């Protein structure tokens, strides 16, 4: 006989229509009610999720802890999710997901002595195809979710979800929502009719005789009345099924028994996206703040681990204090930007707290490391750090000052004594003309992986050399006649050794982007054009109201706007200008954008294969959407999005990318890198980035809010000037050959520069701590674990195996073991001095815990190894 498993739960809305504090006041009594119901009736079950809910309850009501523990031990109360919040998994980084489970599962293990093994993403807005590996390697054995299966949907709601690395996990899809059995009547006749109707809907989509019936809603109260009514229902002679009140574990036991006895689950390999595409650009500041905090806090972790290896004290508690508000704000409704105004304000205050504390921790760790570096030599020492796992060249900006009055020329000297130019971006001068303060730009070369280079700023000129970057003229404008590059008067040009860019200096549109070696033109029409379109959707949906019951992935395409359907920056008039120095050339423009304002800066650099773009938009319109357009000459190309710990080919839809999207044919391609701007798309051979939506809540009873007096109108972004940073990598061949994954990480994790005093130190002026071969193995984490040992995480980034990976440290390896993502040991590894060897499958993630002892740094530095 079929069995319909009723799973009582409450979905805790951590934050969306009310603040964190307000929801706790509403939610904590629900747990008290559940504990009472469980005490009163041994037949009842209840499920709680999210540590941000459970931890405050136990802290406020410590007298309930013994009962709480007893009910967990009896198996009648179950904790699922295993994260601080029920986080979005598309917008945050892969490392943020790991921090979520380290924090959430760690709390449950240390405080309650339980392992949370049920993944519980009931309301999360889509799921990327690396989730099976992340779940399996975090100790989860199943995954319950309600949204995102592809259309047409799978035959059965229970299936095996296979990820891009081959990992497999049982997935439990809830097509009729997570509250399908909630709100059942209190009398037998109506209860029986209710359950028979639910059974009839669930039966056709269930893979076995065990039917899954979730019974809980947002902040829903327990319903203990179901215990007695379920028994009466089961006593009916014509009952079509038996009702079983159960926890997720009890349902999974029944499902496993059924599949073991012969019934099998189908396997699906799918990207469970997109869901609610409007979320990718609503309240865009939330996404940008999240990305900035992720970069900051992972940098703090890396410098803390370096300091620990060098024998310095290490403080992990404050790092977690900085992480928690970031993790909390990754709650799916919050980071997706669908909250009311007062919650948005709280969200941004949380990010500001994390940034302020993170910045303090970063400075502390940099000061500790700097004290150990040999900075002796003439001039002002400038230490440049590289937080990434490969040696790199990149641009650096730093402010300097001069008490002496006669400094009129500047250059840098590297540790080997070579002189290099600097470019002064702006300066304040003494009365006699010498520099008083200046912002300088330079290119740091060959900065070792997880290491540093010390430069010295000298008051003299660098040796003359042929400039690699050029512009049409210094400060060329739309009203200038000078044209030393032979272009039409209305065009300006900047170029380096790799690319030549031409601009319409009236509008700022990028009219040509050429690869210099091949002569290939990447643009068929002007690019870096911002289009403003009407969009009367709410925070969730593009051009429509929320469809709250959306259970399958959307199939909507978002092509470029049709002629006449958008206001374009290319239709506006301003006065663009170009300037060039020895290291950087840039184009600048600022002009009205209909009722608002548009400002843009585009830069190319000496020896850097990246074009940096900075755009600012001042919005004065309601219910509009802004997209940046790059109409390419690439035809019938392949669209690839970066996802956490990997990359996938995707269709022509707006979908959430991590650091980059790539559009490539066999010979040419264009990678578009973003900094906290997840909505990426290619349609009609046009590469697009959704930078901003002006919207508000329209899905609920009160216009713009959830209840009287509570609004969401700041989501219209009226009068705000918002900045956006993104970059282009034009390339030949594919994103793999161009290592777009490295380019995306570099853009989001700039080199860090600090001035220093001159002193001796045990670390040489050019030094790196780590070396990883081959190059498509990416360093993802380098941090101090809970036991004080160093945790190192890497992944394969191109989708093909890496055999015989070499991981080398500038330290002696005393002990090494592989762990899962939550740092549980999987077994010891052999190592040879400073070196570890291992293999990686396509897109595989591996984590190691190592005990490292500092060795002779001058003798053992991983530089160019």
């Amino acid at each position: 006989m079929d069995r319909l498993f009723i799973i009582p739960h409450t979905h805790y809305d951590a934050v969306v229509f009310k603040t964190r504090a307000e929801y706790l006041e509403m939610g904590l009594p629900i747990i008290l009610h559940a504990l009472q119901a469980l005490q009163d009736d041994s037949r009842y079950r209840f499920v709680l999720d999210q540590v941000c809910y459970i931890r405050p309850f136990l802290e406020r009501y410590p007298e309930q802890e013994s009962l709480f523990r007893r009910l967990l031990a009896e198996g009648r109360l179950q904790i699922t999710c295993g994260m601080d919040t029920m986080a979005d998994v598309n917008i945050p980084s892969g490392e943020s997901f790991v921090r979520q489970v380290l924090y959430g599962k760690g709390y449950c293990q240390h405080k309650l002595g339980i392992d949370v093994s049920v993944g519980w993403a009931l309301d999360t807005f889509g799921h990327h195809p690396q989730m099976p590996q992340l779940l399996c390697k975090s100790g989860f054995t199943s995954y319950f979710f309600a949204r995102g299966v592809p259309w047409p949907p799978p035959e059965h709601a229970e299936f095996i979800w296979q990820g891009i690395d081959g990992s497999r996990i049982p997935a439990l899809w809830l097509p009729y929502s997570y509250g399908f059995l909630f709100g059942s009547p209190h009398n037998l006749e109506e209860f029986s009719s209710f359950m028979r109707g639910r059974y009839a809907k669930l039966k056709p989509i269930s893979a076995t005789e065990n039917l899954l019936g979730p019974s809980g809603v947002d902040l829903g109260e327990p319903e203990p009345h179901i215990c007695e009514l379920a028994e009466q229902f089961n006593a009916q002679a014509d009952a079509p099924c038996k009702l079983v009140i159960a926890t997720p574990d009890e349902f999974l036991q029944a499902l496993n028994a059924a599949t073991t006895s012969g019934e099998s689950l189908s396997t699906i390999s799918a990207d469970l996206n997109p869901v609610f595409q409007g979320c990718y650009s609503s309240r865009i500041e939330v996404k940008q703040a999240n990305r900035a905090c992720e970069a900051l806090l992972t940098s703090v972790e890396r410098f803390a681990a370096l300091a620990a290896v060098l024998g310095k004290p290490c403080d992990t508690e404050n790092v977690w204090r900085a992480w928690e508000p970031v993790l909390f704000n990754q709650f799916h409704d919050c980071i997706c930007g669908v909250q009311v105004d007062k919650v948005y304000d709280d969200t941004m205050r949380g990010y500001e707290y994390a940034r302020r504390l993170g910045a303090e921790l970063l400075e502390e760790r940099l000061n500790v490391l700097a004290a150990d570096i040999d900075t002796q030599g003439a001039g002002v020492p400038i230490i440049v750090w590289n937080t990434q796992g490969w040696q790199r060249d990149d641009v650096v900006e730093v402010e300097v000052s001069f008490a002496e009055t006669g400094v009129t020329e500047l250059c840098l000297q590297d540790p080997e004594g070579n002189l290099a130019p600097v470019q002064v971006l702006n300066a304040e001068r003494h009365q006699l003309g010498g520099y008083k303060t200046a912002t300088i730009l330079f290119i740091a070369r060959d900065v070792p992986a997880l290491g540093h280079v010390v430069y010295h700023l000298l008051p003299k000129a660098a040796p003359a050399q042929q400039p690699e970057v050029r512009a049409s003229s210094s400060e060329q404008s739309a009203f200038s006649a000078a044209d030393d590059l032979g272009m039409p008067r209305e065009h300006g040009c900047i170029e380096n050794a790799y690319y030549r860019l031409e601009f319409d200096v009236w509008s700022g549109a990028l009219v040509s982007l050429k690869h210099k070696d091949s002569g290939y033109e990447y643009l068929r029409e002007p690019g870096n054009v911002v289009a403003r379109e009407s969009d009367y959707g709410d925070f969730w949906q593009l051009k429509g109201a929320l469809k709250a019951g959306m259970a399958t992935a959307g199939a909507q395409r978002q092509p470029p706007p049709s002629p006449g359907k958008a206001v374009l920056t290319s239709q506006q008039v301003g006065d663009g200008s170009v300037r060039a120095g020895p290291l950087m050339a840039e184009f600048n423009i600022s002009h009205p954008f209909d009722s608002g304002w548009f400002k843009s800066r585009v830069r190319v650099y000496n020896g850097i294969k990246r074009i940096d773009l900075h755009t600012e938009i001042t919005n004065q319109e309601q219910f509009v959407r802004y997209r940046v357009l790059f109409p390419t000459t690439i035809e019938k190309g392949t669209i690839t999005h970066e996802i956490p710990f990997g990359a996938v080919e995707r269709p022509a839809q707006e979908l959430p990318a991590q650091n980059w999207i790539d559009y490539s044919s066999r010979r040419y391609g264009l990678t578009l890198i973003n900094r906290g701007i997840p909505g990426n798309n290619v349609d009609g051979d046009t590469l697009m980035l959704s930078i901003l939506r002006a919207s508000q809540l329209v899905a609920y009873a009160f216009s713009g809010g959830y209840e009287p007096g509570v609004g969401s109108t700041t989501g219209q972004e009226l009068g705000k000037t918002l900045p956006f940073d993104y970059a282009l990598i034009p390339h030949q061949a594919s994103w793999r050959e161009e290592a777009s994954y490295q380019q995306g990480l570099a853009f989001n994790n700039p080199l860090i520069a600090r001035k220093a005093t001159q002193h001796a130190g045990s670390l040489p002026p050019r030094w790196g701590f780590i070396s990883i071969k081959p190059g498509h193995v990416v360093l993802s984490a380098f941090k101090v674990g809970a036991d004080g040992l160093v945790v190192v995480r890497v992944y394969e980034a191109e989708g093909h195996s890496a055999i015989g990976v070499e991981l080398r440290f500038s330290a002696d390896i005393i002990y090494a073991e592989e762990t899962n993502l939550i740092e549980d040991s999987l077994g010891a590894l052999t190592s040879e001095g400073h070196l570890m060897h291992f293999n990686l499958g396509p897109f595989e993630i591996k984590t190691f815990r190592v005990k490292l002892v500092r060795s002779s740094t001058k003798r053992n530095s991983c530089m160019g190894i």
Side-chain angles (χ1 to χ4, degrees), residues 755-769:
K755 295 167 290 184
T757 59
Q758 295 185 18
H759 52 72
S762 61
L763 295 177
R766 187 186 297 274
W767 180 79
F769 185 73

mmCIF file with all atom_site columns, all heavy atoms in Angstrom, residues 755-769:
data_model
loop_
_atom_site.group_PDB
_atom_site.id
_atom_site.type_symbol
_atom_site.label_atom_id
_atom_site.label_alt_id
_atom_site.label_comp_id
_atom_site.label_asym_id
_atom_site.label_entity_id
_atom_site.label_seq_id
_atom_site.pdbx_PDB_ins_code
_atom_site.Cartn_x
_atom_site.Cartn_y
_atom_site.Cartn_z
_atom_site.occupancy
_atom_site.B_iso_or_equiv
_atom_site.pdbx_formal_charge
_atom_site.auth_seq_id
_atom_site.auth_comp_id
_atom_site.auth_asym_id
_atom_site.auth_atom_id
_atom_site.pdbx_PDB_model_num
ATOM 1   N N   . LYS A 1 755 ? 52.579 50.933 1.452  1.00 0.00 ? 755 LYS A N   1
ATOM 2   C CA  . LYS A 1 755 ? 53.894 51.525 1.696  1.00 0.00 ? 755 LYS A CA  1
ATOM 3   C C   . LYS A 1 755 ? 54.445 51.013 3.013  1.00 0.00 ? 755 LYS A C   1
ATOM 4   O O   . LYS A 1 755 ? 53.683 50.624 3.902  1.00 0.00 ? 755 LYS A O   1
ATOM 5   C CB  . LYS A 1 755 ? 53.786 53.047 1.727  1.00 0.00 ? 755 LYS A CB  1
ATOM 6   C CG  . LYS A 1 755 ? 53.387 53.663 0.391  1.00 0.00 ? 755 LYS A CG  1
ATOM 7   C CD  . LYS A 1 755 ? 52.985 55.117 0.533  1.00 0.00 ? 755 LYS A CD  1
ATOM 8   C CE  . LYS A 1 755 ? 51.656 55.235 1.262  1.00 0.00 ? 755 LYS A CE  1
ATOM 9   N NZ  . LYS A 1 755 ? 51.174 56.624 1.343  1.00 0.00 ? 755 LYS A NZ  1
ATOM 10  N N   . ALA A 1 756 ? 55.739 51.002 3.138  1.00 0.00 ? 756 ALA A N   1
ATOM 11  C CA  . ALA A 1 756 ? 56.366 50.454 4.344  1.00 0.00 ? 756 ALA A CA  1
ATOM 12  C C   . ALA A 1 756 ? 57.575 51.297 4.721  1.00 0.00 ? 756 ALA A C   1
ATOM 13  O O   . ALA A 1 756 ? 58.051 52.127 3.942  1.00 0.00 ? 756 ALA A O   1
ATOM 14  C CB  . ALA A 1 756 ? 56.774 48.998 4.106  1.00 0.00 ? 756 ALA A CB  1
ATOM 15  N N   . THR A 1 757 ? 58.058 51.067 5.916  1.00 0.00 ? 757 THR A N   1
ATOM 16  C CA  . THR A 1 757 ? 59.335 51.652 6.326  1.00 0.00 ? 757 THR A CA  1
ATOM 17  C C   . THR A 1 757 ? 60.465 50.724 5.890  1.00 0.00 ? 757 THR A C   1
ATOM 18  O O   . THR A 1 757 ? 60.243 49.556 5.562  1.00 0.00 ? 757 THR A O   1
ATOM 19  C CB  . THR A 1 757 ? 59.374 51.845 7.846  1.00 0.00 ? 757 THR A CB  1
ATOM 20  O OG1 . THR A 1 757 ? 59.181 50.569 8.474  1.00 0.00 ? 757 THR A OG1 1
ATOM 21  C CG2 . THR A 1 757 ? 58.280 52.801 8.299  1.00 0.00 ? 757 THR A CG2 1
ATOM 22  N N   . GLN A 1 758 ? 61.670 51.221 5.916  1.00 0.00 ? 758 GLN A N   1
ATOM 23  C CA  . GLN A 1 758 ? 62.824 50.408 5.541  1.00 0.00 ? 758 GLN A CA  1
ATOM 24  C C   . GLN A 1 758 ? 63.345 49.649 6.754  1.00 0.00 ? 758 GLN A C   1
ATOM 25  O O   . GLN A 1 758 ? 63.570 50.239 7.817  1.00 0.00 ? 758 GLN A O   1
ATOM 26  C CB  . GLN A 1 758 ? 63.933 51.299 4.975  1.00 0.00 ? 758 GLN A CB  1
ATOM 27  C CG  . GLN A 1 758 ? 63.554 51.972 3.667  1.00 0.00 ? 758 GLN A CG  1
ATOM 28  C CD  . GLN A 1 758 ? 64.717 52.739 3.066  1.00 0.00 ? 758 GLN A CD  1
ATOM 29  O OE1 . GLN A 1 758 ? 65.874 52.501 3.426  1.00 0.00 ? 758 GLN A OE1 1
ATOM 30  N NE2 . GLN A 1 758 ? 64.413 53.651 2.160  1.00 0.00 ? 758 GLN A NE2 1
ATOM 31  N N   . HIS A 1 759 ? 63.490 48.336 6.588  1.00 0.00 ? 759 HIS A N   1
ATOM 32  C CA  . HIS A 1 759 ? 64.019 47.524 7.677  1.00 0.00 ? 759 HIS A CA  1
ATOM 33  C C   . HIS A 1 759 ? 64.468 46.178 7.114  1.00 0.00 ? 759 HIS A C   1
ATOM 34  O O   . HIS A 1 759 ? 64.060 45.759 6.019  1.00 0.00 ? 759 HIS A O   1
ATOM 35  C CB  . HIS A 1 759 ? 62.961 47.308 8.764  1.00 0.00 ? 759 HIS A CB  1
ATOM 36  C CG  . HIS A 1 759 ? 61.648 46.776 8.263  1.00 0.00 ? 759 HIS A CG  1
ATOM 37  N ND1 . HIS A 1 759 ? 61.479 45.481 7.824  1.00 0.00 ? 759 HIS A ND1 1
ATOM 38  C CD2 . HIS A 1 759 ? 60.433 47.381 8.121  1.00 0.00 ? 759 HIS A CD2 1
ATOM 39  C CE1 . HIS A 1 759 ? 60.226 45.295 7.443  1.00 0.00 ? 759 HIS A CE1 1
ATOM 40  N NE2 . HIS A 1 759 ? 59.569 46.436 7.608  1.00 0.00 ? 759 HIS A NE2 1
ATOM 41  N N   . ALA A 1 760 ? 65.285 45.490 7.882  1.00 0.00 ? 760 ALA A N   1
ATOM 42  C CA  . ALA A 1 760 ? 65.690 44.132 7.507  1.00 0.00 ? 760 ALA A CA  1
ATOM 43  C C   . ALA A 1 760 ? 64.548 43.170 7.812  1.00 0.00 ? 760 ALA A C   1
ATOM 44  O O   . ALA A 1 760 ? 63.634 43.471 8.587  1.00 0.00 ? 760 ALA A O   1
ATOM 45  C CB  . ALA A 1 760 ? 66.940 43.733 8.282  1.00 0.00 ? 760 ALA A CB  1
ATOM 46  N N   . GLY A 1 761 ? 64.607 41.990 7.203  1.00 0.00 ? 761 GLY A N   1
ATOM 47  C CA  . GLY A 1 761 ? 63.581 40.984 7.443  1.00 0.00 ? 761 GLY A CA  1
ATOM 48  C C   . GLY A 1 761 ? 64.029 39.638 6.940  1.00 0.00 ? 761 GLY A C   1
ATOM 49  O O   . GLY A 1 761 ? 64.910 39.535 6.074  1.00 0.00 ? 761 GLY A O   1
ATOM 50  N N   . SER A 1 762 ? 63.406 38.590 7.453  1.00 0.00 ? 762 SER A N   1
ATOM 51  C CA  . SER A 1 762 ? 63.804 37.242 7.052  1.00 0.00 ? 762 SER A CA  1
ATOM 52  C C   . SER A 1 762 ? 63.235 36.846 5.692  1.00 0.00 ? 762 SER A C   1
ATOM 53  O O   . SER A 1 762 ? 63.727 35.907 5.057  1.00 0.00 ? 762 SER A O   1
ATOM 54  C CB  . SER A 1 762 ? 63.345 36.232 8.112  1.00 0.00 ? 762 SER A CB  1
ATOM 55  O OG  . SER A 1 762 ? 61.935 36.251 8.233  1.00 0.00 ? 762 SER A OG  1
ATOM 56  N N   . LEU A 1 763 ? 62.181 37.531 5.247  1.00 0.00 ? 763 LEU A N   1
ATOM 57  C CA  . LEU A 1 763 ? 61.613 37.235 3.939  1.00 0.00 ? 763 LEU A CA  1
ATOM 58  C C   . LEU A 1 763 ? 62.265 38.123 2.890  1.00 0.00 ? 763 LEU A C   1
ATOM 59  O O   . LEU A 1 763 ? 62.340 39.344 3.067  1.00 0.00 ? 763 LEU A O   1
ATOM 60  C CB  . LEU A 1 763 ? 60.105 37.473 3.939  1.00 0.00 ? 763 LEU A CB  1
ATOM 61  C CG  . LEU A 1 763 ? 59.267 36.572 4.844  1.00 0.00 ? 763 LEU A CG  1
ATOM 62  C CD1 . LEU A 1 763 ? 57.803 36.995 4.788  1.00 0.00 ? 763 LEU A CD1 1
ATOM 63  C CD2 . LEU A 1 763 ? 59.402 35.113 4.438  1.00 0.00 ? 763 LEU A CD2 1
ATOM 64  N N   . PRO A 1 764 ? 62.723 37.554 1.785  1.00 0.00 ? 764 PRO A N   1
ATOM 65  C CA  . PRO A 1 764 ? 63.374 38.358 0.746  1.00 0.00 ? 764 PRO A CA  1
ATOM 66  C C   . PRO A 1 764 ? 62.372 39.276 0.057  1.00 0.00 ? 764 PRO A C   1
ATOM 67  O O   . PRO A 1 764 ? 61.153 39.083 0.164  1.00 0.00 ? 764 PRO A O   1
ATOM 68  C CB  . PRO A 1 764 ? 63.924 37.305 -0.214 1.00 0.00 ? 764 PRO A CB  1
ATOM 69  C CG  . PRO A 1 764 ? 63.082 36.106 -0.004 1.00 0.00 ? 764 PRO A CG  1
ATOM 70  C CD  . PRO A 1 764 ? 62.689 36.124 1.442  1.00 0.00 ? 764 PRO A CD  1
ATOM 71  N N   . PRO A 1 765 ? 62.857 40.276 -0.670 1.00 0.00 ? 765 PRO A N   1
ATOM 72  C CA  . PRO A 1 765 ? 61.946 41.243 -1.290 1.00 0.00 ? 765 PRO A CA  1
ATOM 73  C C   . PRO A 1 765 ? 61.091 40.673 -2.418 1.00 0.00 ? 765 PRO A C   1
ATOM 74  O O   . PRO A 1 765 ? 60.127 41.319 -2.823 1.00 0.00 ? 765 PRO A O   1
ATOM 75  C CB  . PRO A 1 765 ? 62.872 42.344 -1.799 1.00 0.00 ? 765 PRO A CB  1
ATOM 76  C CG  . PRO A 1 765 ? 64.232 41.773 -1.797 1.00 0.00 ? 765 PRO A CG  1
ATOM 77  C CD  . PRO A 1 765 ? 64.272 40.707 -0.769 1.00 0.00 ? 765 PRO A CD  1
ATOM 78  N N   . ARG A 1 766 ? 61.445 39.532 -2.967 1.00 0.00 ? 766 ARG A N   1
ATOM 79  C CA  . ARG A 1 766 ? 60.558 38.840 -3.908 1.00 0.00 ? 766 ARG A CA  1
ATOM 80  C C   . ARG A 1 766 ? 60.421 37.404 -3.406 1.00 0.00 ? 766 ARG A C   1
ATOM 81  O O   . ARG A 1 766 ? 61.386 36.653 -3.355 1.00 0.00 ? 766 ARG A O   1
ATOM 82  C CB  . ARG A 1 766 ? 61.114 38.865 -5.331 1.00 0.00 ? 766 ARG A CB  1
ATOM 83  C CG  . ARG A 1 766 ? 60.122 38.299 -6.362 1.00 0.00 ? 766 ARG A CG  1
ATOM 84  C CD  . ARG A 1 766 ? 60.737 38.201 -7.755 1.00 0.00 ? 766 ARG A CD  1
ATOM 85  N NE  . ARG A 1 766 ? 61.116 39.478 -8.315 1.00 0.00 ? 766 ARG A NE  1
ATOM 86  C CZ  . ARG A 1 766 ? 60.310 40.290 -8.997 1.00 0.00 ? 766 ARG A CZ  1
ATOM 87  N NH1 . ARG A 1 766 ? 59.049 39.931 -9.202 1.00 0.00 ? 766 ARG A NH1 1
ATOM 88  N NH2 . ARG A 1 766 ? 60.751 41.432 -9.485 1.00 0.00 ? 766 ARG A NH2 1
ATOM 89  N N   . TRP A 1 767 ? 59.188 37.027 -3.031 1.00 0.00 ? 767 TRP A N   1
ATOM 90  C CA  . TRP A 1 767 ? 59.013 35.726 -2.377 1.00 0.00 ? 767 TRP A CA  1
ATOM 91  C C   . TRP A 1 767 ? 57.601 35.230 -2.596 1.00 0.00 ? 767 TRP A C   1
ATOM 92  O O   . TRP A 1 767 ? 56.633 35.988 -2.571 1.00 0.00 ? 767 TRP A O   1
ATOM 93  C CB  . TRP A 1 767 ? 59.267 35.875 -0.876 1.00 0.00 ? 767 TRP A CB  1
ATOM 94  C CG  . TRP A 1 767 ? 59.134 34.618 -0.061 1.00 0.00 ? 767 TRP A CG  1
ATOM 95  C CD1 . TRP A 1 767 ? 60.044 33.615 0.058  1.00 0.00 ? 767 TRP A CD1 1
ATOM 96  C CD2 . TRP A 1 767 ? 58.026 34.248 0.766  1.00 0.00 ? 767 TRP A CD2 1
ATOM 97  N NE1 . TRP A 1 767 ? 59.582 32.638 0.913  1.00 0.00 ? 767 TRP A NE1 1
ATOM 98  C CE2 . TRP A 1 767 ? 58.336 33.001 1.359  1.00 0.00 ? 767 TRP A CE2 1
ATOM 99  C CE3 . TRP A 1 767 ? 56.802 34.846 1.064  1.00 0.00 ? 767 TRP A CE3 1
ATOM 100 C CZ2 . TRP A 1 767 ? 57.461 32.349 2.228  1.00 0.00 ? 767 TRP A CZ2 1
ATOM 101 C CZ3 . TRP A 1 767 ? 55.924 34.194 1.926  1.00 0.00 ? 767 TRP A CZ3 1
ATOM 102 C CH2 . TRP A 1 767 ? 56.260 32.963 2.514  1.00 0.00 ? 767 TRP A CH2 1
ATOM 103 N N   . GLY A 1 768 ? 57.466 33.944 -2.851 1.00 0.00 ? 768 GLY A N   1
ATOM 104 C CA  . GLY A 1 768 ? 56.161 33.320 -2.988 1.00 0.00 ? 768 GLY A CA  1
ATOM 105 C C   . GLY A 1 768 ? 56.078 32.081 -2.124 1.00 0.00 ? 768 GLY A C   1
ATOM 106 O O   . GLY A 1 768 ? 57.085 31.391 -1.911 1.00 0.00 ? 768 GLY A O   1
ATOM 107 N N   . PHE A 1 769 ? 54.863 31.773 -1.647 1.00 0.00 ? 769 PHE A N   1
ATOM 108 C CA  . PHE A 1 769 ? 54.716 30.660 -0.731 1.00 0.00 ? 769 PHE A CA  1
ATOM 109 C C   . PHE A 1 769 ? 54.237 29.380 -1.395 1.00 0.00 ? 769 PHE A C   1
ATOM 110 O O   . PHE A 1 769 ? 54.430 28.295 -0.860 1.00 0.00 ? 769 PHE A O   1
ATOM 111 C CB  . PHE A 1 769 ? 53.748 31.017 0.399  1.00 0.00 ? 769 PHE A CB  1
ATOM 112 C CG  . PHE A 1 769 ? 53.638 29.953 1.445  1.00 0.00 ? 769 PHE A CG  1
ATOM 113 C CD1 . PHE A 1 769 ? 54.680 29.745 2.351  1.00 0.00 ? 769 PHE A CD1 1
ATOM 114 C CD2 . PHE A 1 769 ? 52.534 29.126 1.513  1.00 0.00 ? 769 PHE A CD2 1
ATOM 115 C CE1 . PHE A 1 769 ? 54.604 28.747 3.307  1.00 0.00 ? 769 PHE A CE1 1
ATOM 116 C CE2 . PHE A 1 769 ? 52.441 28.114 2.461  1.00 0.00 ? 769 PHE A CE2 1
ATOM 117 C CZ  . PHE A 1 769 ? 53.487 27.924 3.361  1.00 0.00 ? 769 PHE A CZ  1
#
